[in-house]
């Protein structure tokens, strides 16, 4: 990663430190962000609040590219943060880059409050 690219991205965690089918939560100015890992080692970052009642998505069940909210079983697409139909609403999703086993998030996105 070049210096100009590195300044746009913030190193967050290693992929190994995120449990398969689980999440880790980080606190940044944008709020609590849940960083998920699926069985294909794909990594996603979403605000740790279900769009329905604010349930902690990080405590939900990961399946494919979705997570099921532990409070009311809404399915949230981890690529977009949006609820699957017939439910409606979205949680903020964040740009993720994985390089050499390290997870990076967009510095500007995680510094901006979404509350």
């Amino acid at each position: 990663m070049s210096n100009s690219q590195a300044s746009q991205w913030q190193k967050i965690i290693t992929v190994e430190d995120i449990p398969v089918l689980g999440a880790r939560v980080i606190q940044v100015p944008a709020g609590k962000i849940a960083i998920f890992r699926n069985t294909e080692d794909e990594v996603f970052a979403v605000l740790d609040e279900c769009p329905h009642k604010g349930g902690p998505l990080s405590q939900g069940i990961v399946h494919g590219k979705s997570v099921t909210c532990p409070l009311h079983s809404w399915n949230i697409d981890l690529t977009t943060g949006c609820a699957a139909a017939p439910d409606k609403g979205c949680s903020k999703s964040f740009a993720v880059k994985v390089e050499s086993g390290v997870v990076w998030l967009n510095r500007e996105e995680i510094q901006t409050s979404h509350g």
Side-chain angles (χ1 to χ4, degrees), residues 28-77:
V28 296
K32 288 184 181 178
I33 298 175
I35 302 171
F36 295 91
R37 175 182 177 194
N38 68 12
T39 55
E40 287 77 40
D41 286 335
E42 294 174 298
V43 177
F44 309 91
V46 177
L47 200 62
D48 193 24
E49 295 178 6
C50 180
H52 177 227
K53 297 277 185 179
L57 294 176
S58 60
Q59 295 176 26
I61 297 171
V62 176
H63 45 98
K65 295 183 182 187
S66 298
V67 63
T68 299
C69 179
L71 295 186
H72 301 102
S73 299
W74 278 33
N75 288 316
I76 307 300
D77 183 325

